[in-house]
Amino acid sequence: MRKDFFENIRIAWRSLRGQKLRTVLTVLIIGLGIMALVGIFAATDNFKQKIIQEFSFMGANTYTIQSVNSDGKNRAGKSIRRFERISYQETQEFKKRFEYGDVISISAFQNGIATFKYKSEKTNPNVRVVAGDENYLNSSGYKLSKGRNISIADNLIGSRVVILGNDVVKKIFINNENPINKFVLLGTEKYKVIGVLEPKGNSFGFSGDNMAIMPLGTYKLNYATQTSWYSISVVVDDPQQLQDSFEKATGMFRIIRGDRPGDEQSFRVNKSDSIANDVIKITSVIRIVAIFIAIITLFGAGIGLMNIMLVSVSERTREIGLRKSVGATNKKILNQFLFESVVIGQLGGLVGIILGLGLAALSGAFFGAFVFPWPWIIVAIIVCVIVAILSGIYPARKAAKLDPIESLRHE
């Protein structure tokens, strides 16, 4: 049986070499289908891995209370009722009264077009400035590489101090100068650098290091307006208590906001992984598209493969008759042509896997996260075998049923 196996492989390979153009075209068509299957699925896996990496630093035990979008639309673009933004006083009342969170942080977004300057060096006017209290680092996932955190006293007196992101430090402290206790200009105001954040890298083309953090009290004294956005982050030490804390926080903040029973909620509460889960759901749509492309392409490849096998049967009719006349059984003829079909399918699968891995590597470089697509490679091999067998069974049966005498008369 082993001898027959290798003999069939040898005959199949010889036959394919005699039909190079048709073989190459069929292999390429199959390869495109497998590339879509492996490449797109691997890219979505890389995308999911990046999302998980980006949000995992916040942990599975964090949720945030935020204002409803002020433009009267939700994230889906549907019209919703307008509500007042969460005020500083409301955040402080919640922080004072809520007892079901281990860490409660208040923050505000200052602006996204700030410029920092040190001596003659300055950043581009695109630094994101966040105002946070003494708990902001614990709730946001940022860590200090050097220096100290914002203190309670900094918030109370509105100290002009700042924690800089790694990109900002590299831009204005060009000679590896220690930025701690140095004074930088934010616009026209002097701020003392008290800390530097650990690098976080880029996320989908945006740097997580091109930012700065100032005390919330400083923001309140110098920059806050009636349209300022404040948010509350709650970190629960025990993830099993997250849902209970989440519900209690929602109920308490409804009271603080004056939402009556039965009324629409005037704020939104998001768990740390809710946005990640929403984004990951998009990948299911991408995968459906990938499956559709792969099915259409492989269907065309299957037709092409069946055609090349039928042509092969027609061109080798005398050969089939000769083999039968010297003792080859119908089963051996059937196996021979099935082997040829499977060999073409696996060649196409190999080409598709190589191209798919190329797409996977490119997406991994873009997202900054790479998951080797072993499952999809295995699926691709199995799919190629199935397509090859389904496409080759009819030509193989046709070859096996040929009458040897009539076949030898064939011109």
Side-chain angles (χ1 to χ4, degrees):
M1 184 174 180
R2 184 176 178 181
K3 183 179 179 181
D4 289 343
F5 176 83
F6 286 106
E7 178 67 14
N8 283 328
I9 292 291
R10 187 183 64 82
I11 294 173
W13 185 250
R14 185 182 64 190
S15 174
L16 296 179
R17 288 177 61 186
Q19 306 173 66
K20 292 180 181 178
L21 180 60
R22 288 197 295 264
T23 301
V24 169
L25 291 175
T26 307
V27 165
L28 288 177
I29 295 173
I30 295 174
L32 289 174
I34 297 303
M35 180 186 70
L37 187 69
V38 174
I40 298 178
F41 274 58
T44 57
D45 283 345
N46 292 339
F47 179 69
K48 284 175 64 176
Q49 183 65 24
K50 182 61 175 178
I51 292 293
I52 291 169
Q53 288 178 1
E54 289 299 312
F55 287 90
S56 62
F57 68 85
M58 295 181 65
N61 56 344
T62 305
Y63 58 89
T64 304
I65 302 173
Q66 297 175 315
S67 299
V68 176
N69 291 0
S70 63
D71 60 358
K73 295 182 179 180
N74 62 13
R75 284 184 292 175
K78 296 180 180 179
S79 297
I80 57 175
R81 181 181 170 187
R82 293 175 181 267
F83 294 104
E84 293 293 326
R85 301 185 184 192
I86 295 174
S87 68
Y88 178 80
Q89 290 73 23
E90 289 171 336
T91 65
Q92 295 305 303
E93 185 176 354
F94 178 87
K95 189 173 183 179
K96 186 193 308 179
R97 294 171 57 181
F98 192 66
E99 301 175 352
Y100 303 95
D102 295 278
V103 177
I104 300 175
S105 170
I106 313 300
S107 61
F109 179 66
Q110 201 271 327
N111 64 60
I113 54 172
T115 301
F116 281 88
K117 184 176 181 180
Y118 177 68
K119 294 182 180 178
S120 61
E121 303 296 329
K122 66 178 181 179
T123 67
N124 294 324
N126 61 354
V127 180
R128 183 168 62 97
V129 180
V130 177
D133 61 11
E134 66 280 1
N135 293 327
Y136 178 74
L137 291 183
N138 291 333
S139 65
S140 64
Y142 284 99
K143 294 181 180 180
L144 291 171
S145 63
K146 61 178 66 175
R148 68 171 179 87
N149 189 14
I150 294 169
S151 67
I152 296 176
D154 290 329
N155 278 301
L156 287 175
I157 65 176
S159 301
R160 290 185 180 272
V161 295
V162 67
I163 298 173
L164 298 180
N166 191 59
D167 283 356
V168 179
V169 171
K170 289 193 296 184
K171 184 70 176 179
I172 60 178
F173 294 94
I174 58 174
N175 296 317
N176 293 323
E177 189 175 353
N178 186 359
I180 303 302
N181 296 325
K182 300 295 191 302
F183 286 88
V184 296
L185 286 176
L186 171 55
T188 58
E189 303 294 332
K190 279 188 176 182
Y191 281 80
K192 183 179 181 180
V193 180
I194 61 170
V196 176
L197 297 173
E198 287 186 356
K200 290 184 67 65
N202 294 332
S203 173
F204 310 115
F206 297 94
S207 174
D209 302 319
N210 192 39
M211 68 167 298
I213 305 171
M214 68 165 57
L216 186 67
T218 306
Y219 170 79
K220 181 74 170 57
L221 286 173
N222 300 285
Y223 302 100
T225 65
Q226 291 186 347
T227 60
S228 295
W229 286 75
Y230 294 95
S231 63
I232 304 167
S233 294
V234 181
V235 182
V236 181
D237 186 52
D238 183 1
Q240 294 183 351
Q241 302 298 319
L242 177 64
Q243 186 60 33
D244 183 53
S245 176
F246 181 89
E247 292 172 357
K248 286 182 169 63
T250 303
M252 177 173 288
F253 208 64
R254 284 183 66 93
I255 295 172
I256 292 173
R257 293 276 288 176
D259 295 346
R260 296 179 181 179
D263 284 354
E264 186 179 354
Q265 194 165 284
S266 63
F267 56 94
R268 70 172 186 263
V269 188
N270 294 324
K271 293 180 183 176
S272 60
D273 60 351
S274 61
I275 298 175
N277 290 334
D278 288 344
V279 175
I280 288 174
K281 287 178 182 177
I282 299 173
T283 61
S284 62
V285 178
I286 299 174
R287 291 191 170 190
I288 291 173
V289 174
I291 291 172
F292 179 76
I293 293 173
I295 288 174
I296 295 299
T297 308
L298 290 173
F299 181 76
I303 294 175
L305 181 53
M306 183 181 294
N307 179 66
I308 193 176
M309 294 307 300
L310 287 171
V311 171
S312 179
V313 171
S314 177
E315 291 179 347
R316 294 160 61 193
T317 301
R318 285 179 60 84
E319 177 191 331
I320 295 169
L322 183 61
R323 285 174 61 83
K324 282 192 171 187
S325 67
V326 295
T329 64
N330 288 350
K331 183 178 180 181
K332 286 189 175 183
I333 300 296
L334 178 73
N335 288 339
Q336 176 191 332
F337 282 88
L338 276 180
F339 266 83
E340 288 185 23
S341 182
V342 170
V343 168
I344 294 176
Q346 291 306 300
L347 286 174
L350 178 62
V351 171
I353 288 171
I354 293 172
L355 294 175
L357 287 175
L359 286 180
L362 287 175
S363 67
F366 178 76
F367 294 126
F370 179 72
V371 180
F372 197 86
W374 282 116
W376 307 120
I377 290 176
I378 295 172
V379 169
I381 293 172
I382 294 172
V383 167
C384 285
V385 172
I386 294 173
V387 169
I389 291 176
L390 291 177
S391 301
I393 191 69
Y394 174 69
R397 291 183 65 184
K398 182 178 179 180
K401 290 181 178 180
L402 287 176
D403 182 89
I405 297 175
E406 292 299 325
S407 299
L408 288 171
R409 292 176 179 172
H410 183 79
E411 294 295 333

